[in-house]
Amino acid sequence: MGFHNKVYSNRDHLFWYMLSLRLTPLVPNWLVNISSPIVGIPLTHFFFGTLLGLMPANIIHVRTGLTLSDIQKIGLNLSNIFLLVILGFVALIPTLIKKKIKQA
């Protein structure tokens, strides 16, 4: 099954997949930016998934920038990375619930 067919078969969940990709720090943003139009992600899902998905990481970066005076708090710590991973999985919950309802 090609990428276009896979995207088409999951078209009802694309926003949540995009949100999950943007929330988790595991997938490089440049890869998502390049591959989304190639596999046929609609612009609205890409835009809003990116807008909402990058906010938590941007908040962490701003908080880190505000604490530059305190050398011990520079950068992402393990709890912030864990929080982003958890948020990525939480973004997939609506998709899982829809699939369970559809199977029932």
Side-chain angles (χ1 to χ4, degrees):
M1 181 181 270
F3 284 119
H4 290 285
N5 294 337
K6 191 71 168 170
V7 168
Y8 182 76
S9 66
N10 290 302
R11 66 187 174 280
D12 295 335
H13 311 292
L14 289 178
F15 171 76
W16 300 109
Y17 289 137
M18 181 58 68
L19 186 63
S20 175
L21 286 173
R22 292 303 192 175
L23 284 170
T24 57
L26 305 175
V27 180
N29 282 329
W30 64 267
L31 182 63
V32 175
N33 292 342
I34 292 172
S35 62
S36 292
I38 294 171
V39 298
I41 303 291
L43 182 60
T44 55
H45 294 316
F46 178 82
F47 176 78
F48 288 110
T50 299
L51 179 70
L52 298 174
L54 292 181
M55 278 187 193
N58 289 335
I59 290 170
I60 291 171
H61 291 131
V62 168
R63 283 183 38 209
T64 301
L66 291 174
T67 60
L68 282 175
S69 61
D70 187 3
I71 196 72
Q72 295 175 352
K73 293 184 181 179
I74 292 179
L76 289 174
N77 59 24
L78 191 57
S79 66
N80 287 340
I81 292 173
F82 183 70
L83 176 65
L84 288 176
V85 171
I86 294 298
L87 284 172
F89 287 118
V90 167
L92 290 176
I93 290 174
T95 300
L96 297 174
I97 291 172
K98 284 182 183 179
K99 283 188 178 186
K100 290 288 184 184
I101 291 172
K102 198 175 205 180
Q103 289 176 354

